[in-house]
Amino acid sequence: MKVLLINGSPHKQGNTFLALSEAAKTLEHLGIETEIVHIGVKPIRGCIACGQCKVKQLGKCVFDDDVCNSISAKLDTADALIVGSPVYYGQPNGSVLSLIQRMFFSAGEKVVNKPAAAVCVCRRGGATAAYQTLNMPFEMMNMPVITSQYWNIVYGREPGQASLDIEGMQTMRTMATNMAWMLKKIHTADGPNYPEREPWAPMHFIR
């Protein structure tokens, strides 16, 4: 079993990385393989709703000039997903939002039923709003959302300060413990791994 952790901060080894690393260490200790991937500092384009990924059944975004498709490919071997982001103006980093939106639209079949968790890192405020924003795509993709003893939030501004947030680091470990527990239940329990669902019945409000 493997968990893919996406570092949505422009700082490769900043406070978001520290929070994700704490979770990764716990997962590894519990026998779950991990990989932390950094989105980098180069532009990540937003979805332009061209629909070509669906029309051509590409299984990836039609634009291949940033990290979107390379990270989507990692979902093939990942059994769960954790997305971490710093908080900017009460929102996740715009780059990681663009990444998630394009990945889930163009390659959404790769994430269905896979447990997921969001992690937000902030100086002082806005983390709960950013955290909710990151969780919403998971809920639309039938991804079980992993909880903790508190919202998955860590505090710190200057590099390294996240490690001083004792409760935040414990929250990361609890989240990782819960994720490992769910993965083991899914992959080793008797009976079907995933629930049987009705076919999707989309309905537009404008007729």
Side-chain angles (χ1 to χ4, degrees):
M1 291 170 280
K2 180 179 178 179
V3 176
L4 179 67
L5 300 93
I6 297 177
N7 178 3
S9 169
H11 302 294
K12 187 173 183 178
Q13 295 187 317
N15 288 316
T16 301
F17 173 78
L18 288 177
L20 294 176
S21 295
E22 191 72 12
K25 283 187 290 186
T26 300
L27 287 164
E28 294 278 354
H29 176 72
L30 295 171
I32 308 295
E33 183 184 352
T34 65
E35 179 183 1
I36 299 177
V37 60
H38 181 224
I39 66 171
V41 295
K42 294 182 179 179
I44 299 177
R45 66 165 72 234
C47 180
I48 64 168
C50 67
Q52 291 302 300
C53 58
K54 302 298 185 185
V55 172
K56 298 179 180 179
Q57 297 182 330
L58 298 175
K60 63 179 183 178
C61 182
V62 70
F63 295 111
D64 204 14
D65 54 358
D66 57 27
V67 298
C68 179
N69 288 333
S70 63
I71 296 179
S72 287
K74 293 179 180 295
L75 294 169
D76 290 329
T77 56
D79 300 290
L81 178 67
I82 298 175
V83 180
S85 175
V87 175
Y88 296 157
Y89 298 97
Q91 303 167 8
N93 178 9
S95 292
V96 78
L97 284 179
S98 294
L99 172 70
I100 295 301
Q101 289 168 4
R102 282 172 57 214
M103 283 198 337
F104 282 18
F105 189 70
S106 64
E109 69 281 355
K110 296 182 179 184
V111 299
V112 173
N113 293 322
K114 294 181 178 180
V119 171
C120 287
V121 180
C122 73
R123 177 190 71 86
R124 183 175 177 84
T128 52
Y131 177 67
Q132 181 180 13
T133 299
L134 279 181
N135 271 317
M136 291 183 77
F138 303 153
E139 296 176 12
M140 286 188 66
M141 302 304 293
N142 279 304
M143 302 175 77
V145 176
I146 302 300
T147 59
S148 186
Q149 64 194 25
Y150 192 75
W151 299 298
N152 300 329
I153 295 168
V154 177
Y155 291 90
R157 178 183 179 182
E158 301 302 324
Q161 284 186 340
S163 62
L164 302 177
D165 181 2
I166 295 173
E167 183 177 349
M169 290 292 104
Q170 185 181 61
T171 299
M172 294 298 99
R173 294 191 297 272
T174 302
M175 174 198 70
T177 299
N178 290 344
M179 178 168 277
W181 174 82
M182 180 171 283
L183 281 172
K184 291 174 182 179
K185 287 291 185 181
I186 290 172
H187 292 280
T188 63
D190 293 333
N193 287 343
Y194 305 110
E196 185 175 337
R197 302 188 182 98
E198 296 180 19
W200 185 40
M203 176 182 173
H204 299 300
F205 290 104
I206 299 175
R207 297 182 178 275

